[in-house]
Amino acid sequence: MLLLWNMNLWRENILWIIGSLIIIPWFWLWFFDALGIIEHKKRAQYYKRKPVPNAQWIRLRATLIIIIWILGRNYIDNQYMLIYLWAITLLSIIATIDLFKPIPSWVRLLLQISLFTIIVVYGGVSIETIRVIGWDVSITQWIAIIGSIIWFGVCTNAINWFDGIQGQASWVTAIGSFSLWAVVTFIVLPSYTELTPYIRDQIEITRIISFSLWLVSIVYTMIEYKPLWLIRDIGTTIFWFSLAYLALLGGAKIGTLIVTLSLVLLDMIWVIINRLIIMKKNPMKWDYTHLHHRLIANGRNRSEVRWFVWIRSSILSVLMLLQWTNSINKRIILIMMAILFFGINIYIFWIKKAPTEMKVEFNTEDVNKLE
């Protein structure tokens, strides 16, 4: 029986789920607003919203863990569930420290890589095979370890860089998590008639976490869109590490996730190349040259950019699900998306010299300091 279609499960827990999704976020906003632990007001004024509580990771992580426990309490002591819960906690702590006392980018990346190495080497969550023309081919251990660590690093930081407009990052996460839940539920499970209890537990955990992540990211999208506050670095780090983790745990559904969220990943590659070749600067040094910044600099408003990102990601999600298990079609679609994305960007921003960076009206060093 499909766990998340079990009506008894929903009847027993629906009030707890709704209560957790509504009470925790709003209570946390009120609690930290009362304590005065919020961001610099100039940043909030620029984004035309209320100031953001700086310790957001606690309420976001708390909401996610409570929903996971409600739906998957029978698996809460499973090795892979515990690895995930400890990982998002450590990532949240790193991001919170960085918020109050900025950590050099190379130190933050080194800490992340250390965590990912432990997860891959000792936790056993890694790429084991690659699909070549419809066949699963095993890869050597050291390539699997390096590839998995890179995968975690790229995904964890890609959406963090891409965030910047209310609701953009959290809704993209909702699309990605729903895609993973759907592909595991409707494609992976029906495709394998015989599964060992060990593999079935991994699949169930993947479905529980991805469904919980979908619910939480939808709620936080609605709260952001109001707009009241941004998820910011802390939340986006948790969100996309979760997607990277689930893509490996659920049967290496990396291809589906890459294509569905290709806009974010391709934008990250573009920004790095542009910073190195055109701007000649450290690619880790942040600026306002991401896709949404470029579109705003050229006359688009935030709502238009937001809906463009949401709709494109949703269309690709549906397209990936329609491909079923056809990995060749997924690769073709990804190549076409990459050619289109880089071709348009090169023509508009390198050849036609359109503005590549959004102008800001405040001192960025000043707004990074708390009052």
Side-chain angles (χ1 to χ4, degrees):
M1 180 181 294
L2 298 180
L3 175 65
L4 297 177
W5 290 108
N6 189 327
M7 295 306 298
N8 290 330
L9 179 71
W10 284 103
R11 280 196 294 266
E12 294 171 2
N13 298 293
I14 188 66
L15 293 179
W16 287 103
I17 293 172
I18 294 175
S20 300
L21 290 171
I22 295 176
I23 294 174
I24 294 176
W26 290 100
F27 171 78
W28 206 256
L29 176 65
W30 169 83
F31 181 71
F32 272 84
D33 185 50
L35 293 178
I37 306 178
I38 57 176
E39 68 175 339
H40 199 292
K41 290 184 178 179
K42 286 187 179 180
R43 183 186 293 274
Q45 289 171 357
Y46 172 76
Y47 286 111
K48 299 179 181 179
R49 56 174 168 76
K50 295 181 180 180
V52 183
N54 279 312
Q56 293 184 94
W57 75 269
I58 301 177
R59 53 122 174 136
L60 177 61
R61 176 179 167 274
T63 308
L64 182 58
I65 290 178
I66 288 174
I67 301 300
I68 290 173
W69 184 85
I70 292 173
L71 293 175
R73 52 184 174 270
N74 294 333
Y75 298 90
I76 207 68
D77 60 345
N78 184 279
Q79 169 190 347
Y80 296 107
M81 184 71 84
L82 292 175
I83 290 173
Y84 171 74
L85 297 178
W86 275 108
I88 63 172
T89 300
L90 293 174
L91 286 172
S92 301
I93 292 173
I94 293 172
T96 302
I97 294 173
D98 183 52
L99 182 63
F100 286 97
K101 186 176 179 59
I103 302 173
S105 57
W106 67 270
V107 175
R108 186 171 62 250
L109 183 61
L110 185 62
L111 290 172
Q112 290 180 357
I113 290 176
S114 299
L115 175 61
F116 302 151
T117 302
I118 294 173
I119 293 172
V120 172
V121 176
Y122 298 102
V125 182
S126 66
I127 303 168
E128 297 179 352
T129 62
I130 57 174
R131 177 154 290 196
V132 180
I133 315 178
W135 295 90
D136 291 330
V137 179
S138 298
I139 54 179
T140 58
Q141 185 177 17
W142 68 271
I143 294 178
I145 291 173
I146 294 175
S148 300
I149 294 172
I150 293 174
W151 167 252
F152 277 119
V154 168
C155 284
T156 301
N157 291 286
I159 194 67
N160 187 5
W161 284 15
F162 194 75
D163 190 25
I165 295 179
Q166 293 93 330
Q168 178 174 259
S170 48
W171 186 254
V172 170
T173 302
I175 295 169
S177 54
F178 178 81
S179 299
L180 288 176
W181 174 79
V183 75
V184 170
T185 301
F186 301 112
I187 298 178
V188 174
L189 281 177
S191 299
Y192 297 93
T193 55
E194 296 183 3
L195 293 172
T196 64
Y198 179 76
I199 298 298
R200 181 168 289 278
D201 284 351
Q202 287 189 41
I203 292 176
E204 288 297 339
I205 290 171
T206 301
R207 297 170 65 225
I208 291 167
I209 296 176
S210 59
F211 195 82
S212 302
L213 187 65
W214 177 62
L215 290 176
V216 171
S217 53
I218 284 178
V219 169
Y220 280 87
T221 300
M222 296 170 63
I223 293 173
E224 282 189 83
Y225 187 78
K226 184 68 180 170
L228 287 178
W229 62 87
L230 293 175
I231 293 297
R232 284 174 44 183
D233 296 3
I234 299 171
T236 54
T237 298
I238 296 175
F239 276 162
W240 266 47
F241 166 78
S242 301
L243 294 178
Y245 186 85
L246 295 170
L248 293 183
L249 192 62
K253 296 305 172 189
I254 295 177
T256 298
L257 192 63
I258 286 177
V259 177
T260 301
L261 308 177
S262 60
L263 192 63
V264 178
L265 298 173
L266 294 175
D267 180 66
M268 181 190 68
I269 296 172
W270 167 266
V271 169
I272 291 175
I273 293 174
N274 189 64
R275 288 173 183 173
L276 286 171
I277 297 177
I278 304 300
M279 305 179 73
K280 300 186 185 305
K281 60 181 284 188
N282 180 356
M284 300 297 292
K285 187 174 178 60
W286 67 274
D287 54 29
Y288 292 91
T289 60
H290 288 281
L291 175 65
H292 47 282
H293 298 139
R294 299 196 297 276
L295 293 175
I296 291 173
N298 286 273
R300 301 297 93 189
N301 60 47
R302 282 171 167 42
S303 293
E304 291 172 336
V305 174
R306 183 187 295 113
W307 283 105
F308 168 71
V309 173
W310 290 356
I311 293 172
R312 183 189 182 281
S313 300
S314 300
I315 291 173
L316 285 177
S317 174
V318 174
L319 190 59
M320 284 301 95
L321 294 175
L322 292 177
Q323 303 310 309
W324 202 251
T325 59
N326 194 322
S327 60
I328 296 177
N329 285 355
K330 294 177 182 179
R331 289 189 177 93
I332 292 174
I333 294 171
L334 177 61
I335 292 172
M336 292 174 61
M337 290 296 101
I339 292 174
L340 183 64
F341 180 87
F342 288 111
I344 292 175
N345 276 274
I346 289 171
Y347 177 77
I348 294 176
F349 300 109
W350 288 2
I351 297 177
K352 290 296 184 179
K353 306 296 183 182
T356 60
E357 186 167 10
M358 183 180 71
K359 302 300 181 182
V360 295
E361 300 174 354
F362 53 76
N363 186 321
T364 55
E365 294 182 358
D366 181 47
V367 297
N368 282 330
K369 298 175 183 178
L370 295 175
E371 288 182 316

